[in-house]
């Protein structure tokens, strides 16, 4: 079940407005009894004709019912584009000790802010723009308390292009808050 509200001025290249999405799922049948809720909030604030500040939050929570374990295939995976850039995809959260594969966790926090401007020489054309960003987030496994001291953070720059094939985003990030064992890109 889900709900969303889109008040942005554009779905592909927004400069103002707000977007919210809330999704929930529950399973009481089969081998996995669990619930899961995701909330995403985006806000775009125009500073002037050239600059826009964007804020994004993506929060997730999952819980197993009865005495069943939370299904690993429903875990959140963090790191990479759409999460905390600069960290390898799946780098945040628990990893399998034998294989090193990303297992993730049942809770997720991903916060991002961007300063967006048209690419130099593009004028006010919003099909090609550049941005600077700051990302903060982590994924927490079941049984581990939500510790804000364990949040990872990165900052960087990027380019977005609304190409004829669809939107493309390229980013270079520097993870400035990381811990031993974190895999970076």
């Amino acid at each position: 079940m889900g709900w969303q509200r889109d008040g942005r001025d554009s779905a592909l290249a927004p400069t103002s407005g707000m977007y919210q999405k809330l999704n929930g799922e529950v399973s009481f049948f089969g081998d996995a009894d669990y619930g899961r809720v995701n909330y995403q909030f985006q806000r775009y604030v125009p500073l002037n004709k050239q600059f826009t500040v964007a804020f994004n939050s993506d929060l997730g929570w999952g819980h197993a019912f009865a005495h069943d374990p939370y299904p690993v295939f429903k875990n959140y995976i963090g790191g990479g584009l759409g999460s905390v850039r600069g960290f390898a995809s799946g780098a945040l959260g628990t990893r399998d000790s034998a294989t090193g594969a990303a297992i993730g966790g049942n809770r997720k926090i991903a916060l991002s802010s961007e300063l967006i401007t048209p690419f130099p020489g593009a004028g006010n054309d919003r099909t090609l723009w550049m941005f600077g960003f700051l990302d903060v987030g982590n994924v927490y496994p079941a049984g581990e308390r939500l510790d804000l001291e364990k949040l990872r953070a990165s900052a960087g720059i990027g380019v977005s292009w609304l190409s004829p094939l669809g939107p493309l985003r390229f980013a270079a990030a520097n993870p400035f808050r990381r811990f031993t064992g974190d895999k970076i890109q």
Side-chain angles (χ1 to χ4, degrees), residues 100-118:
I103 296 174
N106 68 325
R107 290 164 293 154
K108 166 181 74 168
I109 297 174
L111 307 170
S112 178
S113 61
E114 293 183 354
L115 178 62
I116 306 166
T117 187

Side-chain angles (χ1 to χ4, degrees), residues 30-103:
D31 293 335
D33 295 340
Y34 70 92
R36 182 176 164 163
V37 177
N38 299 301
Y39 177 68
Q40 183 178 14
F41 175 81
Q42 295 177 348
R43 177 79 170 133
Y44 296 87
V45 180
L47 300 178
N48 56 33
K49 288 184 178 183
Q50 293 291 321
F51 294 99
T52 299
V53 176
F55 301 99
N56 183 50
S57 64
D58 193 4
L59 309 172
W61 176 81
H63 181 72
F65 300 126
H67 296 294
D68 293 338
Y70 187 74
V72 72
F73 61 88
K74 288 295 182 176
N75 274 350
Y76 297 102
I77 302 293
L81 285 174
S83 180
V84 183
R85 294 168 275 201
F87 291 87
S89 182
L92 304 183
T94 307
R95 302 188 76 75
D96 184 272
S97 60
T99 65
I103 296 174

Side-chain angles (χ1 to χ4, degrees):
M1 179 168 43
W3 169 87
Q4 72 177 9
R5 181 180 182 129
D6 193 346
R8 299 173 295 179
D9 61 346
S10 168
L12 293 176
T15 59
S16 67
M18 186 171 44
Y19 173 79
Q20 295 182 78
K21 180 169 68 172
L22 178 67
N23 288 324
E25 62 183 90
V26 178
S27 173
F28 290 113
F29 304 105
D31 293 335
D33 295 340
Y34 70 92
R36 182 176 164 163
V37 177
N38 299 301
Y39 177 68
Q40 183 178 14
F41 175 81
Q42 295 177 348
R43 177 79 170 133
Y44 296 87
V45 180
L47 300 178
N48 56 33
K49 288 184 178 183
Q50 293 291 321
F51 294 99
T52 299
V53 176
F55 301 99
N56 183 50
S57 64
D58 193 4
L59 309 172
W61 176 81
H63 181 72
F65 300 126
H67 296 294
D68 293 338
Y70 187 74
V72 72
F73 61 88
K74 288 295 182 176
N75 274 350
Y76 297 102
I77 302 293
L81 285 174
S83 180
V84 183
R85 294 168 275 201
F87 291 87
S89 182
L92 304 183
T94 307
R95 302 188 76 75
D96 184 272
S97 60
T99 65
I103 296 174
N106 68 325
R107 290 164 293 154
K108 166 181 74 168
I109 297 174
L111 307 170
S112 178
S113 61
E114 293 183 354
L115 178 62
I116 306 166
T117 187
F119 200 81
N124 283 328
D125 179 12
R126 287 284 180 167
T127 62
L128 180 62
W129 67 91
M130 59 189 289
F131 56 90
F133 63 87
L134 172 66
D135 293 346
V136 177
N138 202 0
V139 174
Y140 299 91
E144 183 178 311
R145 70 182 185 90
L146 204 92
D147 186 357
L148 298 181
E149 292 292 322
K150 292 186 178 180
L151 289 174
R152 275 46 170 199
S154 66
I157 58 172
V159 176
S160 290
W161 177 38
L162 296 178
S163 78
L165 301 175
L168 299 173
R169 289 176 68 90
F170 304 97
N174 178 29
F176 62 87
R177 183 176 168 87
R178 61 185 190 198
F179 295 92
T180 304
D182 285 346
K183 293 185 178 183
I184 59 172
Q185 289 180 325

